Amino acid sequence: MSNIFDVGSSALNSLQRAISTTGNNIANANTDGYSRQEVEFRTRTPDSIGGHQIGTGVEISSIRRAYDQFLTQDVQARTSSSGYYSLYSTTAEQIDNLMADPTTSISSAMDQFFTAMEAVAISPTSQPERQVLLSEAGTLANRFNYVDARLSELAENINEQMSVFIMDINQHTKDIAQLNQQIARLERTPGGSPNDLLDQRDRAIESLSKFVSVETRLQEDGSMNVFTSSGHRLVSQSGAETLRMTSAPQPDGPVRLYISAPGGADTEITGFFLGGELGAAMDVSQNVIDRARRDIGLLAVGLSETFNTQHKAGDTLNLVAGAEFFASITPVVTASPLNSGTTTVASVIDDATELTGASYQIDYTDSVVTITNLATNATQEINGTTASIDGLTFTVSPFSNQTDGDRFLVEPTGRAASSMAVAITDTSDIAAANSGSNVGDNRNMLSLIALREANNLKNGTKSVYDIYNNAVSEVAVGTRSARANADTELSLLQSVTDRRDGITGVNLEEEAANLIRYQQAYQAAAQIITTANDVFDTLLRAASR
C-alpha cells in the first residue's frame, strides 16, 4: 500500500516542480538574458517484489537551461566586432566631414591663398592686393589651427571615453569573478545547476565583450576564465585582473594600457589588438586622428619652410631681402611622467622636404639610448648625444643609471598645424621681386606660386596639395570601409542573436501547453492518492468484520 502512496506523492512533487518551473519561464518571458529552463524527469529505482520489478514513481533528474555554447560565443564575438566598427566608423566620419567640407577644408583655404598671390604677381606694387594676400595667409593659418584644434578635441574625447570604458570593464570582470565563486560553490553541492547565476554570468560576459574582445574557457569547478583576444587574462579562478590607463601630460596625447594582477606586476597591452569599443578607441586614435594630425602638420611645416626659403630669396618693396613669411615651427618633445627628471631631449628641423610625417620615441634602456620611428617601428641606437634622421636632428642626454627607463615622444608634425602663423604684418615686407631687381618685378612671387605644384615634400615626391589630398583620401577610404563593416557586423549580430534567442528564449504558447499538460498530469497523480485512500479504507473495513 505504501508503494501506491509513494508513486502518487513522487508524481505530485515532481509535477509541482515542473509547474513551478514553467511558471517561472512565463514570468521571465521578457527578462533580458533569461534562458528558458526545462525539467527532465526520470523513473525512480524500482522495488523487487516476488521476483518482479515494481516501479516506485518518478523524480526530477535536473532542471537545465536551454543553452547553446557556440551561439553564445558567437554572440559575444559579434557584439565585440559590432562595437568596434560602430565606434570606429562614427569617429572616422567626423574627421572625414571636417577635412572634406569646403567650409573647413584646408585645401579651399590654400586655393584662396594662391589666388591672392596671383593677384600680387599681376600688380606687384599694389597695396590692396598685398593686403588681401596677408589676409588670406592669415585665413590659411587659422584654418590649420582650426582643423588641428578639432582633431585635438576628438583625441581628448576619445581618451575620456577610454577612461570610462576601463571603469566599465573592471566592474564587469569583478562581477564575473564574484559570479564564478558563487557558481563554483553551488556546483559542489547536490541540487543541480545554478541556472540563474549562469545566465547572469553570460550577460556579464556579453556586456564585457562590447568593450573588449574576449575568449572564455570553462573550468572543471564551473567557473569561467576570461581572456582578451590577445591572450591576456582578465578573470581567473583567483579573481579579476585590473585594467588601468596612463595618460600623457597633454589631455589629447597618447595613452598606455596595462593589466594588473592582484599583488602582481603590470603587463602593458598598448600595442595589442583589443577589439570592442576600447580597441576601436585606441585604433581610431592612432590610425585616424593621430595620422591626420601628422599629415596636416607635415603640410603645415612643409608649406611654411619651403615658402619661407623662397620668400627670403626675393626682395620686398623696400628692396631688402625678404624675411620669414610664416612663423617657424619646431618639433614638440614630451617626456613621460615617469621619467627620472635628469634627462632632456631636443629636436630641430634641418630640412622640411625630408620629413616623413612620422613621430619618434626615444628610450633610455639597457645602457643605450634608442630612437624608434613610430610609423615604421624601425629602431636604431644613438651614438653620442646627437642623431640626424629624416631631416631632423635629435639632441639627447647621455645614458646613466638614473636614466634607465626614461622615455620621450618627439612629434615633428603631430602638433605642427596648431603653430601655423603668419610672421609678417606689413604688406611692404612681401618679397615679390627677385633679389636685386626693381620694385615692380614679380618673378619671386611667380616662384612662390610655383610651390603649389612643385614636388618638394617627402624627398621630392609630393606637392602640398598631394599631401592634403592623400590625407583626405585615406580618411575617406577608411571611413567607408569602417561604415560597411559596421553595417555588416550589426546585421550578423542581429542574426546570431535571433538564432540564440530562438533556442534560449521563452515561447509563451509552448509554455502554456506545458502548463496544461503538467496540470492534467498533476490531477491524474492526485487521483492515484485518492484511489490509494479508497483501497486502504476498503481494506480496513474488510479487516474489521
Side-chain angles (χ1 to χ4, degrees), residues 319-342:
L319 298 179
V320 297
E324 289 191 345
F325 189 91
F326 292 105
S328 294
I329 300 174
T330 58
V332 176
V333 179
T334 305
S336 168
L338 303 178
N339 281 3
S340 63
T342 62

Side-chain angles (χ1 to χ4, degrees), residues 276-471:
E277 291 184 343
L278 178 62
M282 287 288 293
D283 291 346
V284 78
S285 178
Q286 295 173 1
N287 301 336
V288 184
I289 299 176
D290 182 59
R291 183 167 184 171
R293 293 185 75 183
R294 288 188 286 109
D295 287 343
I296 293 171
L298 175 62
L299 174 58
V301 174
L303 178 60
S304 296
E305 295 300 319
T306 56
F307 198 93
N308 285 345
T309 299
Q310 185 61 51
H311 190 260
K312 289 188 288 187
D315 283 350
T316 69
L317 280 180
N318 299 322
L319 298 179
V320 297
E324 289 191 345
F325 189 91
F326 292 105
S328 294
I329 300 174
T330 58
V332 176
V333 179
T334 305
S336 168
L338 303 178
N339 281 3
S340 63
T342 62
T343 52
T344 59
V345 168
S347 178
V348 295
I349 298 173
D350 297 325
D351 189 347
T353 65
E354 296 181 8
L355 294 178
T356 64
S359 294
Y360 301 83
Q361 182 173 294
I362 295 177
D363 292 288
Y364 286 74
T365 182
D366 296 330
S367 302
V368 296
V369 183
T370 60
I371 182 169
T372 302
N373 183 318
L374 297 180
T376 63
N377 289 322
T379 299
Q380 68 180 68
E381 292 185 14
I382 297 179
N383 298 317
T385 58
T386 61
S388 295
I389 304 171
D390 301 332
L392 297 159
T393 294
F394 300 87
T395 303
V396 302
S397 299
F399 184 91
S400 69
N401 292 334
Q402 291 180 315
T403 65
D404 193 23
D406 284 2
R407 173 181 292 168
F408 293 85
L409 174 66
V410 182
E411 299 174 281
T413 65
R415 300 175 183 276
S418 64
S419 302
M420 184 78 164
V422 179
I424 64 174
T425 57
D426 190 341
T427 58
S428 298
D429 291 335
I430 297 175
N434 262 5
S435 179
S437 299
N438 296 326
V439 171
D441 184 69
N442 69 350
R443 285 175 294 172
N444 195 54
M445 184 56 63
L446 294 176
S447 297
L448 290 169
I449 295 172
L451 295 175
R452 175 171 49 191
E453 308 295 337
N455 291 332
N456 290 328
L457 306 183
K458 286 198 171 183
N459 290 309
T461 62
K462 302 292 181 182
S463 69
V464 290
Y465 277 92
D466 290 337
I467 296 293
Y468 189 75
N469 291 337
N470 286 347

Side-chain angles (χ1 to χ4, degrees), residues 75-76 78-84 87 165 169 172 204-214 275-280:
V75 168
Q76 294 166 3
R78 295 302 177 190
T79 298
S80 177
S81 297
S82 180
Y84 177 92
L87 189 145
F165 293 158
I169 289 171
H172 286 310
I205 294 175
E206 184 177 333
S207 297
L208 174 63
S209 66
K210 178 183 178 182
F211 299 106
V212 62
S213 179
V214 298
E277 291 184 343
L278 178 62

